[in-house]
Amino acid sequence: MTVVVLLGAPGAGKGTQAPLLARHLGVPVLASGDLLRAAVAAGTAMGREADRYMSRGQLVPDPTIVKCFLDRLEQPDAQGGAILDGFPRTRVQAQALDQALAEAGRAVDRAIYIDVPTEDLITRMANRRICTANGHVYNLASNPPRRPGVCDIDGSPIVQRPDDEEATVRARMREQIEPLLDVVDHYRGAGILITVDGLEPIDAVGRAIITAFDASVGEPPPAGASSAAGRLG
Ligand code: AP5
Protein backbone atom coordinates (compact mmCIF):
# COMPACT_ATOMS: atom_id res chain seq x y z
CA MET A 1 0.00 0.00 0.00
CA THR A 2 1.69 3.18 -1.18
CA VAL A 3 0.07 6.60 -1.40
CA VAL A 4 2.24 9.20 -3.10
CA VAL A 5 1.20 12.83 -3.62
CA LEU A 6 2.75 14.56 -6.65
CA LEU A 7 3.01 18.32 -6.11
CA GLY A 8 3.96 21.05 -8.52
CA ALA A 9 2.74 24.29 -10.04
CA PRO A 10 0.66 24.13 -13.24
CA GLY A 11 2.95 22.72 -15.93
CA ALA A 12 5.65 21.45 -13.55
CA GLY A 13 5.39 17.95 -15.02
CA LYS A 14 3.06 16.07 -12.66
CA GLY A 15 1.02 14.53 -15.48
CA THR A 16 4.20 13.61 -17.36
CA GLN A 17 5.87 11.92 -14.40
CA ALA A 18 2.85 10.32 -12.69
CA PRO A 19 2.53 7.34 -15.09
CA LEU A 20 6.26 6.57 -14.82
CA LEU A 21 6.15 6.41 -11.02
CA ALA A 22 2.84 4.55 -11.16
CA ARG A 23 4.41 1.87 -13.36
CA HIS A 24 7.37 1.62 -10.99
CA LEU A 25 5.10 1.16 -7.96
CA GLY A 26 2.32 -0.85 -9.68
CA VAL A 27 -0.45 1.51 -8.59
CA PRO A 28 -2.91 3.69 -10.58
CA VAL A 29 -2.70 7.45 -11.15
CA LEU A 30 -5.63 9.49 -9.84
CA ALA A 31 -5.51 12.95 -11.45
CA SER A 32 -7.86 15.63 -10.12
CA GLY A 33 -7.71 17.62 -13.37
CA ASP A 34 -8.74 14.55 -15.39
CA LEU A 35 -11.63 13.85 -13.00
CA LEU A 36 -12.82 17.44 -13.33
CA ARG A 37 -12.42 17.55 -17.13
CA ALA A 38 -14.44 14.29 -17.37
CA ALA A 39 -17.20 15.88 -15.28
CA VAL A 40 -17.14 18.98 -17.49
CA ALA A 41 -17.35 16.84 -20.64
CA ALA A 42 -20.21 14.81 -19.16
CA GLY A 43 -22.08 18.03 -18.37
CA THR A 44 -22.87 17.03 -14.77
CA ALA A 45 -23.86 19.69 -12.22
CA MET A 46 -20.44 19.31 -10.62
CA GLY A 47 -18.77 19.64 -14.02
CA ARG A 48 -20.68 22.81 -14.80
CA GLU A 49 -19.67 24.29 -11.45
CA ALA A 50 -16.01 23.23 -11.90
CA ASP A 51 -15.87 24.67 -15.41
CA ARG A 52 -16.64 28.16 -14.10
CA TYR A 53 -13.48 28.07 -11.96
CA MET A 54 -11.19 26.12 -14.31
CA SER A 55 -11.83 28.45 -17.24
CA ARG A 56 -10.71 31.38 -15.09
CA GLY A 57 -7.59 29.61 -13.81
CA GLN A 58 -9.02 29.40 -10.30
CA LEU A 59 -9.11 26.46 -7.94
CA VAL A 60 -12.41 24.60 -7.72
CA PRO A 61 -13.86 25.10 -4.20
CA ASP A 62 -12.51 22.71 -1.58
CA PRO A 63 -15.82 20.98 -0.67
CA THR A 64 -16.48 20.09 -4.33
CA ILE A 65 -13.06 18.69 -5.17
CA VAL A 66 -12.61 16.97 -1.80
CA LYS A 67 -15.80 14.98 -2.24
CA CYS A 68 -15.06 14.17 -5.88
CA PHE A 69 -11.47 13.08 -5.21
CA LEU A 70 -12.06 11.13 -1.99
CA ASP A 71 -14.92 9.23 -3.68
CA ARG A 72 -12.46 8.26 -6.44
CA LEU A 73 -9.83 7.22 -3.89
CA GLU A 74 -12.30 4.77 -2.35
CA GLN A 75 -12.72 2.83 -5.62
CA PRO A 76 -11.40 -0.76 -5.61
CA ASP A 77 -8.47 -0.06 -7.98
CA ALA A 78 -6.95 2.39 -5.45
CA GLN A 79 -7.08 0.07 -2.45
CA GLY A 80 -3.49 -1.04 -3.05
CA GLY A 81 -2.31 2.56 -3.22
CA ALA A 82 -2.19 5.35 -5.79
CA ILE A 83 -0.27 8.29 -7.20
CA LEU A 84 -2.26 11.45 -6.48
CA ASP A 85 -1.70 13.99 -9.28
CA GLY A 86 -3.12 17.46 -8.56
CA PHE A 87 -4.72 16.70 -5.20
CA PRO A 88 -4.36 18.05 -2.56
CA ARG A 89 -3.87 21.64 -3.70
CA THR A 90 -4.80 23.53 -0.53
CA ARG A 91 -4.05 22.90 3.13
CA VAL A 92 -7.77 22.17 3.71
CA GLN A 93 -7.62 19.47 1.02
CA ALA A 94 -4.41 18.04 2.53
CA GLN A 95 -6.04 17.81 5.96
CA ALA A 96 -9.18 16.19 4.49
CA LEU A 97 -6.97 13.64 2.73
CA ASP A 98 -5.00 12.91 5.92
CA GLN A 99 -8.23 12.38 7.82
CA ALA A 100 -9.84 10.14 5.19
CA LEU A 101 -6.71 8.00 4.94
CA ALA A 102 -6.33 7.81 8.75
CA GLU A 103 -9.94 6.56 9.04
CA ALA A 104 -8.97 3.73 6.69
CA GLY A 105 -5.73 3.02 8.59
CA ARG A 106 -3.70 4.54 5.76
CA ALA A 107 -1.53 7.64 5.30
CA VAL A 108 0.34 9.58 2.64
CA ASP A 109 3.74 7.87 2.38
CA ARG A 110 5.62 10.52 0.44
CA ALA A 111 4.90 13.88 -1.21
CA ILE A 112 7.11 14.60 -4.21
CA TYR A 113 7.43 18.27 -5.16
CA ILE A 114 8.52 18.95 -8.76
CA ASP A 115 10.10 22.39 -8.51
CA VAL A 116 10.19 24.66 -11.61
CA PRO A 117 10.44 28.50 -11.73
CA THR A 118 7.31 30.33 -12.91
CA GLU A 119 8.62 31.81 -16.19
CA ASP A 120 9.76 28.38 -17.41
CA LEU A 121 6.27 27.10 -16.61
CA ILE A 122 4.56 29.70 -18.76
CA THR A 123 6.72 28.78 -21.78
CA ARG A 124 6.05 25.10 -21.25
CA MET A 125 2.30 25.56 -21.09
CA ALA A 126 2.28 27.52 -24.37
CA ASN A 127 3.87 24.49 -26.06
CA ARG A 128 1.85 21.79 -24.30
CA ARG A 129 -0.52 19.63 -26.35
CA ILE A 130 -2.63 16.69 -25.17
CA CYS A 131 -4.34 13.91 -27.08
CA THR A 132 -8.12 13.97 -27.31
CA ALA A 133 -8.62 10.28 -26.53
CA ASN A 134 -6.62 9.82 -23.32
CA GLY A 135 -4.90 13.08 -22.41
CA HIS A 136 -1.39 11.83 -23.25
CA VAL A 137 0.92 14.81 -22.80
CA TYR A 138 3.27 16.30 -25.42
CA ASN A 139 5.32 19.46 -25.76
CA LEU A 140 6.03 21.04 -29.15
CA ALA A 141 9.50 22.11 -27.91
CA SER A 142 10.70 19.39 -25.54
CA ASN A 143 8.58 16.33 -26.29
CA PRO A 144 6.83 16.50 -29.69
CA PRO A 145 4.77 13.62 -31.10
CA ARG A 146 6.54 11.61 -33.83
CA ARG A 147 3.84 12.57 -36.38
CA PRO A 148 2.72 16.21 -36.06
CA GLY A 149 -0.78 16.50 -34.60
CA VAL A 150 -1.19 12.78 -33.86
CA CYS A 151 -0.75 10.91 -30.54
CA ASP A 152 2.10 8.36 -30.61
CA ILE A 153 0.24 6.06 -28.25
CA ASP A 154 -3.39 5.95 -29.42
CA GLY A 155 -3.40 7.79 -32.78
CA SER A 156 -5.95 10.41 -31.67
CA PRO A 157 -5.58 14.11 -32.63
CA ILE A 158 -3.55 16.28 -30.26
CA VAL A 159 -4.92 19.69 -29.22
CA GLN A 160 -4.19 22.61 -26.90
CA ARG A 161 -6.01 22.57 -23.55
CA PRO A 162 -8.43 25.55 -23.30
CA ASP A 163 -6.85 26.65 -20.00
CA ASP A 164 -3.36 26.73 -21.59
CA GLU A 165 -3.89 30.09 -23.28
CA GLU A 166 -1.41 32.58 -21.87
CA ALA A 167 -3.88 34.79 -19.96
CA THR A 168 -5.40 31.75 -18.24
CA VAL A 169 -1.98 30.29 -17.54
CA ARG A 170 -0.91 33.53 -15.82
CA ALA A 171 -4.15 33.48 -13.79
CA ARG A 172 -3.45 29.86 -12.76
CA MET A 173 0.01 30.86 -11.53
CA ARG A 174 -1.37 33.88 -9.65
CA GLU A 175 -4.19 31.92 -8.02
CA GLN A 176 -2.54 28.59 -7.37
CA ILE A 177 1.08 29.01 -6.34
CA GLU A 178 0.47 30.35 -2.85
CA PRO A 179 -1.87 27.49 -1.83
CA LEU A 180 0.58 25.04 -3.44
CA LEU A 181 3.44 26.32 -1.29
CA ASP A 182 1.20 25.95 1.76
CA VAL A 183 0.64 22.29 0.87
CA VAL A 184 4.39 21.84 0.32
CA ASP A 185 4.88 23.20 3.86
CA HIS A 186 2.25 20.79 5.18
CA TYR A 187 4.22 17.79 3.92
CA ARG A 188 7.57 19.30 4.85
CA GLY A 189 6.22 19.60 8.39
CA ALA A 190 5.15 15.96 8.28
CA GLY A 191 8.72 14.97 7.31
CA ILE A 192 7.65 13.18 4.11
CA LEU A 193 8.54 15.77 1.45
CA ILE A 194 10.94 15.02 -1.40
CA THR A 195 11.86 17.93 -3.72
CA VAL A 196 13.20 17.26 -7.23
CA ASP A 197 14.53 19.71 -9.82
CA GLY A 198 11.83 19.82 -12.52
CA LEU A 199 14.00 21.84 -14.92
CA GLU A 200 16.01 18.77 -15.87
CA PRO A 201 14.98 16.84 -19.01
CA ILE A 202 11.89 14.63 -18.61
CA ASP A 203 13.87 11.34 -18.33
CA ALA A 204 16.23 12.80 -15.74
CA VAL A 205 13.34 14.09 -13.62
CA GLY A 206 11.75 10.64 -13.79
CA ARG A 207 14.96 8.96 -12.66
CA ALA A 208 15.42 11.50 -9.85
CA ILE A 209 11.89 10.87 -8.57
CA ILE A 210 12.26 7.10 -8.56
CA THR A 211 15.75 7.19 -7.02
CA ALA A 212 14.72 9.63 -4.26
CA PHE A 213 11.51 7.73 -3.57
CA ASP A 214 13.22 4.34 -3.35
CA ALA A 215 15.99 5.76 -1.16
CA SER A 216 13.45 7.26 1.21
CA VAL A 217 11.14 4.28 1.69
CA GLY A 218 11.20 3.04 5.24
CA GLU A 219 13.39 5.89 6.36
CA PRO A 220 13.30 9.72 6.42
CA PRO A 221 13.66 11.41 2.99
CA PRO A 222 17.26 11.72 1.78
CA ALA A 223 19.42 14.53 3.16
CA GLY A 224 18.91 17.77 1.26
CA ALA A 225 15.71 16.50 -0.33
CA SER A 226 13.04 17.13 2.27
CA SER A 227 13.92 20.63 3.38
CA ALA A 228 14.64 22.35 0.05
CA ALA A 229 12.69 25.62 -0.13
CA GLY A 230 11.99 25.49 -3.89
CA ARG A 231 12.09 28.33 -6.39
CA LEU A 232 8.49 29.55 -6.51
CA GLY A 233 8.22 31.15 -3.08
P1 AP5 B 1 -4.73 20.03 -13.69
O1 AP5 B 1 -5.17 19.30 -14.89
O2 AP5 B 1 -4.28 19.29 -12.50
O3 AP5 B 1 -3.64 21.07 -14.17
P2 AP5 B 1 -2.34 21.62 -13.40
O4 AP5 B 1 -2.05 21.26 -12.02
O5 AP5 B 1 -2.49 23.05 -13.63
O6 AP5 B 1 -1.25 20.85 -14.00
P3 AP5 B 1 -1.03 20.68 -15.45
O7 AP5 B 1 -1.79 19.46 -15.95
O8 AP5 B 1 -1.31 21.97 -16.16
O9 AP5 B 1 0.53 20.48 -15.49
P4 AP5 B 1 1.42 19.24 -15.07
O10 AP5 B 1 2.17 19.56 -13.83
O11 AP5 B 1 0.62 17.97 -15.08
O12 AP5 B 1 2.45 19.29 -16.26
P5 AP5 B 1 2.56 18.35 -17.56
O13 AP5 B 1 3.10 17.02 -17.18
O14 AP5 B 1 1.29 18.38 -18.35
O15 AP5 B 1 -5.88 21.04 -13.19
C1 AP5 B 1 -6.61 21.84 -14.11
C2 AP5 B 1 -7.55 22.75 -13.33
O16 AP5 B 1 -8.48 21.95 -12.56
C3 AP5 B 1 -6.87 23.65 -12.29
O17 AP5 B 1 -6.39 24.86 -12.88
C4 AP5 B 1 -8.02 23.91 -11.32
O18 AP5 B 1 -8.91 24.87 -11.81
C5 AP5 B 1 -8.74 22.55 -11.30
N1 AP5 B 1 -8.21 21.65 -10.24
C6 AP5 B 1 -7.49 20.51 -10.42
N2 AP5 B 1 -7.19 19.96 -9.23
C7 AP5 B 1 -7.76 20.75 -8.28
C8 AP5 B 1 -7.76 20.73 -6.85
N3 AP5 B 1 -7.15 19.73 -6.16
N4 AP5 B 1 -8.39 21.73 -6.20
C9 AP5 B 1 -9.02 22.72 -6.86
N5 AP5 B 1 -9.04 22.81 -8.23
C10 AP5 B 1 -8.40 21.83 -8.92
O19 AP5 B 1 3.72 19.14 -18.32
C11 AP5 B 1 3.49 20.43 -18.85
C12 AP5 B 1 4.23 20.58 -20.21
O20 AP5 B 1 5.64 20.56 -19.96
C13 AP5 B 1 3.95 19.41 -21.17
O21 AP5 B 1 3.95 19.92 -22.48
C14 AP5 B 1 5.15 18.45 -20.97
O22 AP5 B 1 5.46 17.72 -22.14
C15 AP5 B 1 6.26 19.44 -20.63
N6 AP5 B 1 7.24 18.94 -19.69
C16 AP5 B 1 7.01 18.17 -18.58
N7 AP5 B 1 8.18 17.93 -17.94
C17 AP5 B 1 9.16 18.58 -18.65
C18 AP5 B 1 10.56 18.71 -18.46
N8 AP5 B 1 11.19 18.14 -17.43
N9 AP5 B 1 11.26 19.44 -19.36
C19 AP5 B 1 10.62 20.05 -20.42
N10 AP5 B 1 9.29 19.95 -20.66
C20 AP5 B 1 8.56 19.22 -19.76
Side-chain angles (χ1 to χ4, degrees):
M1 152 65 60
T2 309
V3 178
V4 178
V5 167
L6 264 190
L7 300 171
K14 304 180 295 296
T16 300
Q17 298 299 336
L20 309 178
L21 184 60
R23 258 200 306 280
H24 180 68
L25 298 177
V27 296
V29 177
L30 309 186
S32 55
D34 290 347
L35 290 178
L36 291 169
R37 279 185 288 278
V40 172
T44 63
M46 199 272 276
R48 287 195 301 277
E49 183 202 358
D51 192 33
R52 286 202 297 277
Y53 294 90
M54 294 168 77
S55 60
R56 293 195 296 242
Q58 297 170 342
L59 290 177
V60 173
D62 286 331
T64 305
I65 185 69
V66 165
K67 174 163 185 352
C68 166
F69 200 88
L70 294 184
D71 284 352
R72 177 64 187 89
L73 191 57
E74 279 179 8
Q75 298 304 306
D77 66 332
Q79 296 314 298
I83 310 295
L84 277 44
D85 166 2
F87 183 94
R89 248 181 168 96
T90 65
R91 192 174 285 263
V92 168
Q93 293 177 21
Q95 289 164 343
L97 175 65
D98 288 348
Q99 189 184 334
L101 289 173
E103 283 166 8
R106 302 158 68 179
V108 174
D109 293 281
R110 290 288 179 269
I112 299 174
Y113 173 37
I114 306 175
D115 183 28
V116 181
T118 305
E119 280 310 313
D120 295 275
L121 293 169
I122 288 170
T123 310
R124 271 190 197 182
M125 308 283 260
N127 286 318
R128 173 167 55 184
R129 299 293 182 272
I130 59 167
C131 85
T132 46
N134 292 296
H136 295 124
V137 183
Y138 296 91
N139 191 284
L140 298 183
S142 61
N143 180 30
R146 281 192 294 273
R147 259 202 311 148
V150 179
C151 179
D152 294 348
I153 300 166
D154 59 37
S156 70
I158 62 167
V159 295
Q160 186 168 36
R161 254 171 57 174
D163 59 350
D164 276 352
E165 283 168 21
E166 186 171 336
T168 316
V169 168
R170 288 196 182 272
R172 289 162 71 191
M173 299 297 166
R174 219 170 34 243
E175 299 276 338
Q176 299 187 21
I177 285 179
E178 196 178 320
L180 164 71
L181 294 176
D182 204 21
V183 174
V184 169
D185 274 349
H186 175 82
Y187 290 115
R188 182 181 293 118
I192 56 170
L193 183 73
I194 295 170
T195 299
V196 297
D197 181 357
L199 265 187
E200 294 293 318
I202 291 172
D203 290 354
V205 176
R207 280 195 301 275
I209 288 174
I210 288 172
T211 304
F213 178 85
D214 285 350
S216 75
V217 173
E219 56 191 68
S226 67
S227 59
R231 290 170 292 202
L232 290 173

